[in-house]
Amino acid sequence: MMSNDQRLVHMAGQILRNFAAQGREEAIAATAEHLTLFWAPRMKARAIAMLEEPGAELPEEVRAAFAALRHPA
Amino acid sequence: MTFTREKDFGTPEAMGAAVSLTIDGQEVSVPAGTSIMRAAAMVDTAIPKLCATDSLESFGSCRLCLVEVEGRSGYPASCTTPVAPGMAVRTQSDRLRKLRRGVMELYISDHPLDCLTCGANGDCELQDMAGAVGLRDVRFGYEGENHLEGCKDESNPYFTFDPTKCIVCSRCVRACDETQGTLALTVDGRGFASGISASQDESFLSSECVSCGACVQACPTSALIEKTVIEIGTPDRAVVTTCAYCGVGCTFRAEMRGEELVRMVPWKEGKANHGHSCVKGRFAWGYAQHRDRILNPMMRGSVDEPWREVSWEAAIARVASEFRRLQKEHGARAIGGITSSRCTNEETFLVQKLVRQGFGNNNVDTCARVCHSPTGYGLKTTFGTSAGTQDFDSVRHADVILVIGANPTDGHPVFASRMKKRLREGAKLIVVDPRRIDMVRSPHIEAAFHLPLRPGTNVAVLTAMAHVIVTEGLVNETYVRERCDTDAYAEWAEFVSEPARSPEAVEDLTGVPAADLRAAARLYATGGNAAIYYGLGVTEHSQGSSTVMAIANLAMATGNVGKDGVGVNPLRGQNNVQGACDMGSFPHELSGYRHVSDSAARSLFERDWGVSLDPEPGLRIPNMLDAATDGAFKGIFIQGEDILQSDPNTTHVAAGLAAMECVVVQDLFLNETANYAHVFLPGSTFLEKDGTFTNAERRIQRVRKVMEPKNGYADWEVVQLVAHAMGLDWNYTHPSQIMDEIARLTPTFAGVNYAVLDQRGSLQWPVNAAAPEGTPTMHIDHFVRGKGNFVVTDYVPTDERTGPRFPLLLTTGRILSQYNVGAQTRRTANVEWHEEDRLEIHPHDAENRGIRDGNWVSLRSRAGETTLRAKITDRVAPGVVYTTFHHPDTQANVITTDFSDWATNCPEYKVTAVQVMPSNGPSDWQRSYRAQAEASRRIEPAEPAE
């Protein structure tokens, strides 16, 4: 079973794959928008925090989507 | 309300142009096609009858309803004779009286004369007709050959069949044929030897009878009668209310004697069910009085302690103080709540209000998370609103019916009967389902196509259908041009037209023969009005939302949205799952599907509630459980849901609940989730409170209190007590005031209030200034979002894969007699039809594993293992196994994984890679869970009052 961090990455990757037909950049933007609309602040905060963690295994597109998130209030 | 029977007009309503005639000298104007019997009833002239009732087509067998028609010879039966212009009818004359008495004499000469001790005494049409025709003696005597030695069939737990009371009027047979569509009953034998037979002269319980009770309701004597009427007596009052099972939303007359419910009789005026019901709604209400009900609040220090009964004050104070403590120590977002799709709109609204106003966050979710959340996402994205497009009556105008991922005869049986009626009239059926569900082939019904797809390939199948429609020029181009976003259409059409999306290209993947898929697509596109009905076999996948959008794409491309007989129709699982979603139960939406980040919508609520609302979405149920195991989510209020049994990956759910410091469960019973609860607040049943439910066709219907809450409070009152204890100034004295607030804050409910609901019976939202009488069909002139939005739905395989260790695919579902986690139905006689969950397995897979029918087998996935008994059947394809999730001893969700829909996190219940092997005992998990559950349900005896 996945850890909670792995689950966040997995979920983001799944969203990306479902937007992939739109093209890479569009898919990243659509994923970031989806996360903004539907992920709770602690999930978004964790996603942003993972960007700075050397051990975090983030696929390239997931990293780009997380990087497009704003820090929630 | 005092007790009066619903008026019976004798024959069904007709819809023709007006025809004028006279009945006993009285001028009458009725629609052409109306029978003389009905026309007479419309002016309160009751013509004697026995074989006629207005829920069934006229039959003309009893010969009691004879009349005289001026200028015509003989005495025609008024039930089978239609009115004609200028017709002059006499319903009473010496000759008619003699004829009718003669008929009655024959009936009564072969009928037990035990009226005073008969269960139907005072509620028997035969008795009434004997009086109506003035029967005073029986010239033939009672000693002749008769049927009075017949044996009573008491096999059905809910009703008896006494052939000695039967007059062979065929009303039961016709009800089973016309209303229910099961055709389980017949008249066996001829002439004097004729009698009613269930299936091949079997008992009712062992026959094909589905116990819907339509025959009992149709019976004019006590030949078929509810056991409760025999035990309690006839009712003395009736209250119209709405069923608490499934999203069909049948309305019933709860027929009462004092505070005791005698029987539930489907209400003829009910617009969702038109006087029909299923075994659950009509009969399975005994759970409301079951000894397992918890009627007093309880608390405990930790989950390994026994429960202690406490006062309401103590329990509510503990809830409030613990929640406030947790927020103080861990932050405002450390707690949340779950609303119930079994509770009323008003109660659901209050729970989300408690979370948003009282907890100060958006951590509220509902069981729709695990069923129809992809419907919300998919239909909002494509059409602009999160709901089905039609009313149920629409199916009467459908020419092609596509059922995908739904099993209506089991999950939505009353609507299935409507659908089957339309199919018997000639509509064509396409079934897309891994299992050969009953709709594929049943009496007088055969699907034109059954596409038995491999679980998890819905999107590939639907996109291949779209490929056929686009590449073969079957698109309704005028509709698309006028009603849809043409840029989005062009992009979608180009995508689906690619050779990789063709039926031939995906045949190996989906398992659906390309030729069948092409033919089914052509039928859907060209067969006339085409309607799609779908269920959880669509939504509970990693691509649930994509599948919903793929369905919407098909409907738009063929112009099948915005009129009668077509549409996209989600068959909602629980009674108020539509309402729970409408009421703002999702963590990202306020009532009426407005995002929490929408400052204009938020400010409406902020002004009304006097607080600032969190603009960030809250945690979904699986996110709450993840956050709990992370130590960030500490307390939860769960009303009327049993997430430990219903949600996927039970081990993970248990770990999440165990990590919380304050779990509050409000329910009728100590459910499985309550094993992890610290406070238990007893709930009330639908019979014990006022409110509204909203069914799958967006129909808002009243729930009316027929008895006082046995626990002391309706659920909305309990939530208000918690709100008060948390410092909120709520002052509701009746649920109607909550509905007024909902209407004030929710544009689609703007015109809804109890007065108009009582007046009109029901309303389908949107109800507002533009549609004061509601909206049976949506998107008529334009989509709610403006132009219909085609969405590219690429097939993305699930991450759940079969392999050598787990070579089979498990898919789950439910059956007719049980409901959801079974908390209600397991506490009724419905267990006679389904006392345990069984694993359906194909004969080849069973043989390969040395499994025989009825053997215990172990069912194992990457998530867990359980054991249950095998049922060998070719209903499932090789490589696929199927089970239900109604019994906690099985806990099918120990097996399901935490993979979920990409857009909504709706769990992927329908695809789990498993292995099945013979077994000789329960799994380790089952043993330990059973021990824990028993320990958790200990209740310390209450200390005597000082």
Side-chain angles (χ1 to χ4, degrees):
Chain A
M1 289 292 119
M2 291 180 275
S3 70
N4 289 343
D5 278 355
Q6 286 170 330
R7 192 171 290 121
L8 289 182
V9 175
H10 177 264
M11 282 159 48
Q14 212 187 343
I15 296 164
L16 271 159
R17 285 199 300 280
N18 277 276
F19 285 131
Q22 299 180 13
R24 184 179 184 279
E25 295 311 313
E26 289 80 358
I28 289 168
T31 300
E33 186 189 357
H34 189 91
L35 303 188
T36 301
L37 287 173
F38 298 108
W39 278 21
R42 73 176 299 274
M43 297 163 71
K44 285 182 273 203
R46 188 67 206 124
I48 293 167
M50 273 194 273
L51 293 168
E52 307 300 325
E53 293 172 6
E57 292 179 9
L58 299 180
E60 194 183 334
E61 286 83 1
V62 171
R63 178 173 289 279
F66 283 0
L69 291 176
R70 282 182 298 104
H71 255 296
Chain B
M1 185 179 183
T2 53
F3 188 80
T4 49
R5 281 189 211 156
E6 283 190 276
K7 184 167 180 172
D8 186 347
F9 291 87
T11 63
E13 189 178 9
M15 305 300 279
V19 170
S20 293
L21 67 157
T22 61
I23 296 176
D24 296 335
Q26 189 176 356
E27 280 276 349
V28 188
S29 181
V30 298
T34 301
S35 69
I36 292 174
M37 176 181 281
R38 187 178 179 95
M42 289 167 74
V43 289
D44 293 329
T45 298
I47 299 173
K49 65 180 182 60
L50 280 170
C51 73
T53 186
D54 59 12
S55 62
L56 302 171
E57 296 300 324
S58 56
F59 194 57
S61 78
C62 76
R63 315 313 293 172
L64 203 60
C65 69
L66 309 181
V67 291
E68 293 173 1
V69 178
E70 200 172 287
R72 294 192 190 182
S73 59
Y75 303 92
S78 63
C79 65
T80 52
T81 308
V83 296
M87 181 184 258
V89 178
R90 285 178 70 188
T91 69
Q92 281 291 77
S93 70
D94 284 345
R95 183 62 190 151
L96 288 171
R97 222 170 358 255
K98 280 180 189 158
L99 284 169
R100 290 176 186 154
R101 277 186 189 167
V103 171
M104 281 304 297
E105 279 183 279
L106 287 167
Y107 277 123
I108 299 300
S109 70
D110 188 10
H111 197 83
L113 299 178
D114 60 352
C115 290
L116 290 180
T117 55
C118 177
N121 187 21
D123 188 22
C124 171
E125 292 182 42
L126 188 68
Q127 195 179 44
D128 293 347
M129 290 308 112
V133 304
L135 184 71
R136 299 293 173 256
D137 61 2
V138 174
R139 289 169 293 164
F140 314 116
Y142 304 99
E143 306 306 320
E145 196 177 353
N146 58 50
H147 299 84
L148 302 183
E149 301 304 318
C151 285
K152 210 169 179 178
D153 177 353
E154 298 186 284
S155 61
N156 187 289
Y158 296 118
F159 61 84
T160 63
F161 173 59
D162 183 350
T164 69
K165 305 281 177 69
C166 178
I167 59 171
V168 201
C169 62
S170 289
R171 274 164 65 162
C172 57
V173 176
R174 289 180 286 137
C176 194
D177 294 359
E178 295 175 27
T179 308
Q180 168 56 26
T182 295
L183 290 85
L185 303 181
T186 190
V187 176
D188 189 29
R190 301 180 68 179
F192 191 77
S194 60
I196 302 302
S197 168
S199 291
Q200 304 296 312
D201 201 18
E202 296 164 45
S203 73
F204 269 78
L205 187 65
S206 57
S207 74
E208 293 156 302
C209 166
V210 292
S211 201
C212 69
C215 56
V216 178
Q217 190 173 344
C219 181
T221 72
S222 66
L224 284 157
I225 188 169
E226 297 93 342
K227 288 182 176 176
T228 48
V229 176
I230 296 173
E231 287 160 14
I232 299 171
T234 47
D236 60 10
R237 67 187 174 99
V239 181
V240 173
T241 191
T242 304
C243 182
Y245 287 119
C246 108
V248 175
C250 297
T251 42
F252 284 85
R253 280 160 51 97
E255 297 192 350
M256 311 289 296
R257 175 161 283 277
E259 276 275 294
E260 202 167 8
L261 179 55
V262 177
R263 64 182 171 190
M264 295 286 275
V265 180
W267 191 39
K268 283 198 303 190
E269 303 300 314
K271 293 190 175 70
N273 58 317
H274 297 287
H276 189 36
S277 74
C278 75
V279 61
K280 295 189 286 287
R282 188 192 295 264
F283 294 125
W285 37 265
Y287 69 87
Q289 285 91 35
H290 197 275
R291 63 181 180 281
D292 286 354
R293 258 190 85 179
I294 304 292
L295 301 177
N296 296 306
M298 301 193 296
M299 301 194 311
R300 55 186 174 184
S302 66
V303 298
D304 49 9
E305 292 177 8
W307 288 103
R308 238 174 343 106
E309 288 187 355
V310 296
S311 66
W312 276 102
E313 291 75 16
I316 298 290
R318 165 97 179 266
V319 172
S321 66
E322 277 295 276
F323 281 168
R324 286 301 185 219
R325 175 185 70 80
L326 291 170
Q327 288 193 298
K328 193 173 172 191
E329 293 176 7
H330 302 279
R333 289 169 175 156
I335 63 172
I338 298 178
T339 75
S340 175
S341 294
R342 298 178 205 164
C343 287
T344 63
N345 284 318
E346 293 76 3
E347 287 160 346
T348 305
F349 186 83
L350 285 197
V351 172
Q352 64 88 36
K353 179 175 177 178
L354 176 71
V355 171
R356 294 196 156 100
Q357 185 192 28
F359 297 0
N361 63 46
N362 287 310
N363 290 336
V364 61
D365 208 354
T366 185
C367 82
R369 174 66 49 217
V370 300
C371 62
H372 268 288
S373 51
T375 290
Y377 181 90
L379 295 186
K380 186 163 189 181
T381 304
T382 49
F383 296 162
T385 196
S386 303
T389 60
Q390 311 297 122
D391 59 3
F392 288 144
D393 285 350
S394 167
V395 79
R396 291 181 304 191
H397 305 286
D399 301 309
V400 178
I401 297 171
L402 193 164
V403 177
I404 174 168
N407 188 4
T409 54
D410 286 33
H412 304 85
V414 170
F415 178 66
S417 292
R418 305 280 305 281
M419 193 184 269
K420 291 203 289 189
K421 189 170 193 169
R422 181 62 188 153
L423 292 168
R424 289 197 303 274
E425 289 168 354
K428 299 281 189 290
L429 175 65
I430 302 166
V431 174
V432 184
D433 201 289
R435 285 175 80 227
R436 195 182 65 241
I437 59 172
D438 283 350
M439 292 293 287
V440 172
R441 193 163 194 274
S442 59
H444 295 250
I445 288 170
E446 181 144 26
F449 299 99
H450 173 211
L451 311 184
L453 77 177
R454 188 172 163 78
T457 61
N458 283 331
V459 171
V461 167
L462 291 165
T463 305
M465 287 181 74
H467 175 94
V468 175
I469 289 166
V470 172
T471 58
E472 295 190 6
L474 307 179
V475 170
N476 184 335
E477 290 182 2
T478 308
Y479 183 92
V480 170
R481 193 166 51 247
E482 291 174 357
R483 300 287 310 273
C484 302
D485 180 328
T486 47
D487 290 343
Y489 168 75
E491 188 184 339
W492 172 80
E494 184 183 345
F495 172 82
V496 301
S497 298
E498 291 171 11
R501 322 281 173 225
S502 72
E504 292 74 18
V506 297
E507 181 172 330
D508 285 348
L509 170 76
T510 64
V512 176
D516 286 355
L517 197 151
R518 278 192 181 273
R522 290 171 191 142
L523 175 60
Y524 174 77
T526 64
N529 285 341
I532 300 177
Y533 293 88
Y534 72 88
L536 304 184
V538 157
T539 55
E540 291 175 343
H541 287 276
S542 64
Q543 280 203 292
S545 294
S546 302
T547 311
V548 172
M549 293 188 288
I551 286 170
N553 291 338
L554 279 187
M556 288 188 291
T558 52
N560 280 307
V561 184
K563 58 181 179 178
D564 253 357
V566 300
V568 174
N569 304 278
L571 295 172
R572 301 276 183 165
Q574 300 208 53
N575 53 317
N576 199 36
V577 70
Q578 178 72 55
C581 298
D582 300 341
M583 292 298 101
S585 293
F586 285 134
H588 66 283
E589 281 175 336
L590 300 163
S591 62
Y593 303 100
R594 291 160 296 168
H595 200 276
V596 292
S597 62
D598 176 346
S599 56
R602 218 172 50 246
S603 67
L604 263 179
F605 289 81
E606 289 175 337
R607 278 199 300 274
D608 208 88
W609 296 351
V611 293
S612 290
L613 297 182
D614 191 343
E616 284 285 343
L619 294 162
R620 297 166 172 173
I621 293 171
N623 310 144
M624 291 182 198
L625 297 168
D626 290 349
T629 58
D630 277 347
F633 190 80
K634 292 291 188 178
I636 192 165
F637 176 79
I638 304 174
Q639 184 179 67
E641 288 297 330
D642 191 0
I643 60 170
L644 191 73
Q645 192 180 339
S646 65
D647 285 30
N649 193 354
T650 307
T651 313
H652 182 61
V653 178
L657 289 168
M660 296 182 204
E661 292 181 23
C662 183
V663 174
V664 181
V665 167
Q666 188 187 6
D667 208 294
L668 302 175
F669 307 104
L670 273 176
N671 61 20
E672 306 310 308
T673 306
N675 294 345
Y676 292 88
H678 305 87
V679 182
F680 184 89
L681 304 175
S684 53
T685 72
F686 76 111
L687 298 168
E688 299 165 358
K689 58 194 178 187
D690 281 299
T692 56
F693 292 151
T694 306
N695 75 355
E697 43 169 5
R698 297 170 278 105
R699 188 180 299 284
I700 307 157
Q701 303 186 109
R702 277 295 315 274
V703 177
R704 293 185 177 87
K705 184 162 87 172
V706 303
M707 60 179 72
E708 289 302 314
K710 294 193 185 309
N711 57 323
Y713 292 109
D715 295 335
W716 64 270
E717 293 176 294
V718 174
V719 180
Q720 178 158 264
L721 289 173
V722 174
H724 286 166
M726 295 192 76
L728 303 177
D729 182 25
W730 292 5
N731 297 294
Y732 307 109
T733 58
H734 191 271
S736 64
Q737 297 159 348
I738 307 170
M739 180 52 81
D740 292 343
E741 181 173 323
I742 294 165
R744 193 163 70 234
L745 296 172
T746 315
T748 45
F749 275 64
V752 180
N753 59 59
Y754 277 28
V756 73
L757 283 172
D758 288 342
Q759 182 197 340
R760 300 189 59 83
S762 64
L763 290 165
Q764 288 174 270
W765 67 256
V767 187
N768 49 30
E773 296 182 2
T775 312
T777 305
M778 293 198 78
H779 316 296
I780 288 178
D781 296 319
H782 55 83
F783 287 94
V784 168
R785 71 181 301 282
K787 296 286 187 184
N789 182 30
F790 282 87
V791 176
V792 169
T793 54
D794 197 7
Y795 170 65
V796 178
T798 170
D799 291 312
E800 179 71 358
R801 303 286 165 83
T802 54
R805 284 180 63 212
F806 303 107
L808 304 173
L809 281 179
L810 168 73
T811 186
T812 61
R814 66 177 176 181
I815 63 155
L816 170 66
S817 59
Q818 297 290 330
Y819 179 69
N820 203 267
V821 295
Q824 294 140 289
T825 43
R826 281 186 284 107
R827 291 179 171 94
T828 70
N830 278 25
V831 290
E832 295 206 21
W833 287 278
H834 185 81
E835 58 184 358
E836 61 184 339
D837 295 319
R838 294 238 183 168
L839 184 77
E840 290 187 5
I841 184 168
H842 190 273
H844 294 170
D845 293 324
E847 189 179 351
N848 287 343
R849 290 164 174 77
I851 294 166
R852 292 187 178 172
D853 197 63
N855 280 174
W856 286 95
V857 295
S858 112
L859 175 67
R860 193 155 47 86
S861 74
R862 293 178 182 91
E865 179 179 3
T866 190
T867 57
L868 69 173
R869 288 201 286 166
K871 180 180 181 182
I872 298 176
T873 173
D874 63 0
R875 264 180 182 245
V876 288
V880 176
V881 292
Y882 168 88
T883 191
T884 50
F885 61 100
H886 302 305
H887 291 269
D889 285 346
T890 314
Q891 289 270 23
N893 284 319
V894 171
I895 305 303
T896 53
T897 69
D898 48 13
F899 287 131
S900 62
D901 172 48
W902 66 272
T904 65
N905 285 138
C906 179
E908 192 176 37
Y909 289 113
K910 303 297 186 188
V911 186
T912 307
V914 295
Q915 178 59 292
V916 178
M917 297 302 283
S919 170
N920 54 11
S923 67
D924 292 345
W925 184 89
Q926 280 170 302
R927 281 199 193 92
S928 62
Y929 180 77
R930 204 168 293 164
Q932 186 219 359
E934 281 172 16
S936 176
R937 292 197 168 101
R938 289 170 297 154
I939 301 175
E940 274 184 356
E943 290 178 12
E946 302 221 344

